[in-house]
Amino acid sequence: MVDSASLQFVSPYAFEAMQKVDVARLAALSDPELRLLLPCLVRMALCAPADQSNAWAQDKKLILRLLSGVEAVNSIVALLSVDFHALEQDARKEQQLRHKAGGSNSESILVSQLQHGLTLEFEHSDPLRRLRLALSELLAIMNKVADSNGEFFLKSSELFESPVYLEEVADVLCILQAELPSLLPIIEVAEALLHVRNGEWFMCLLVANVPDSFSEVCRGLIKNGERQDEESVGGRRRTEALRQLCQMNPSQALNIRAMVVEECHLPGLGVALTLDYKPDMADEAVSPLVSYVSGLLLGTNGKVRTWFSMFIRNGQQVRRSNSCTQTRED
């Protein structure tokens, strides 16, 4: 098991380079930074582009030069060589089988009986079997989320926890989502990743490799979030994941905060983003947090006022409870 805080996340510089497909900036990335973005870059280099311009042809040559000599590229190329149509058909059959069995995963079309643990199987598998192992595990988590009626759970999964294979599992995850988007909608995949260890790290890599999905993923996570998030484990994990996404793309932090207010979900995230966000020209007379809180409480939207007032009251009750507990202990 590994603590996601010790993992390397995608930097704002790298994310912006991916958003703009700025090859010169991508070339300036360190090897560890570039490693996180290989699934998208390899697909760019290999797949037929919609853009047939000469400028893109030149950029593609630069990307190929950038990828040459990177050892992990070969394994990603092998993943992309699989018959994804046949893989999707098997996955849909497995979903139907699970549905008929009431969610039981005792039988699997994607993965035959495992001889060893999931991590060991992954290590010794060819590219197709690696895709099947990861897809079967991911679908099982997505199905459990769909059947949970909003009740949070944390799923133990060797595949998402082994520090030795995290990057390779992330490659497989990104390729699966990119090649099977109708089977694996990115919002549903992101939601499933909240329920595994290192989920926020996998989520940031997934979004960095599909940078146009940033706002869509964030809105989906907020919509599915709790109205009051401070005390629940699920709320804290969701808030932390969204903060990590915003740290990767800080220019959108205030837009994500506006989504929080619009949906009236995750009030603690709105406060956290206000504290995380540091404008270049801050008005020292009025702190950003005071402006944000007073704007919500004194605004004209009654729904927002009620929602945020409840958040403050809940926080006050928790502090009083903690104070009373501390006093009794003394």
Side-chain angles (χ1 to χ4, degrees), residues 82-270:
V82 164
D83 183 348
F84 284 96
H85 177 68
L87 182 62
E88 181 171 7
Q89 286 184 319
D90 284 350
R92 294 200 182 279
K93 287 176 186 174
E94 176 152 321
Q95 282 184 314
Q96 291 171 358
L97 189 67
R98 280 193 174 134
H99 182 69
K100 287 178 183 176
S104 169
N105 56 357
S106 56
E107 293 184 75
S108 175
I109 293 171
L110 284 169
V111 181
S112 57
Q113 194 68 34
L114 298 181
Q115 300 299 315
H116 310 284
L118 202 51
T119 304
L120 203 56
E121 288 282 347
F122 186 84
E123 178 186 358
H124 295 297
S125 293
D126 61 22
L128 175 58
R129 186 162 171 80
R130 285 190 168 196
L131 288 162
R132 285 176 170 274
L133 286 166
L135 183 54
S136 181
E137 186 77 351
L138 184 58
L139 288 175
I141 297 167
M142 289 169 65
N143 288 340
K144 190 171 180 181
V145 170
D147 294 338
S148 66
N149 294 318
E151 186 175 337
F152 184 78
F153 63 90
L154 191 60
K155 170 81 162 58
S156 177
S157 172
E158 280 186 59
L159 209 54
F160 293 101
E161 295 172 16
S162 172
V164 179
Y165 298 108
L166 285 182
E167 288 182 343
E168 291 173 64
V169 173
D171 292 339
V172 171
L173 180 69
C174 291
I175 295 299
L176 281 170
Q177 197 287 317
E179 296 294 332
L180 304 174
S182 62
L183 178 69
L184 302 173
I186 196 164
I187 294 175
E188 293 180 25
V189 174
E191 190 70 27
L193 290 172
L194 285 176
H195 298 266
V196 297
R197 298 190 191 283
N198 307 309
E200 67 269 30
W201 182 78
F202 281 106
M203 196 185 303
C204 285
L205 261 63
L206 180 65
V207 172
N209 280 276
V210 194
D212 290 346
S213 71
F214 179 85
S215 292
E216 177 189 7
V217 168
C218 288
R219 184 174 288 281
L221 290 172
I222 292 167
K223 271 180 172 287
N224 290 328
E226 296 84 346
R227 282 183 60 80
Q228 300 295 333
D229 57 354
E230 195 173 31
E231 287 307 301
S232 72
V233 175
R236 289 197 294 270
R237 287 183 66 85
R238 191 178 296 272
T239 294
E240 184 55 34
L242 282 156
R243 286 179 76 182
Q244 288 286 1
L245 286 167
C246 288
Q247 285 174 21
M248 184 173 74
N249 189 12
S251 66
Q252 291 299 305
L254 293 188
N255 288 336
I256 302 308
R257 189 182 71 173
M259 287 182 193
V260 166
V261 176
E262 181 185 340
E263 299 293 339
C264 287
H265 285 181
L266 305 177
L269 174 62

Side-chain angles (χ1 to χ4, degrees), residues 250-307:
S251 66
Q252 291 299 305
L254 293 188
N255 288 336
I256 302 308
R257 189 182 71 173
M259 287 182 193
V260 166
V261 176
E262 181 185 340
E263 299 293 339
C264 287
H265 285 181
L266 305 177
L269 174 62
V271 172
L273 291 179
T274 304
L275 294 171
D276 290 342
Y277 178 73
K278 297 176 178 60
D280 294 332
M281 298 294 290
D283 182 354
E284 294 181 4
V286 182
S287 79
L289 184 59
V290 170
S291 297
Y292 175 66
V293 171
S294 60
L296 296 181
L297 294 177
L298 302 176
T300 57
N301 189 318
K303 180 184 175 185
V304 170
R305 283 201 311 270
T306 302
W307 162 71

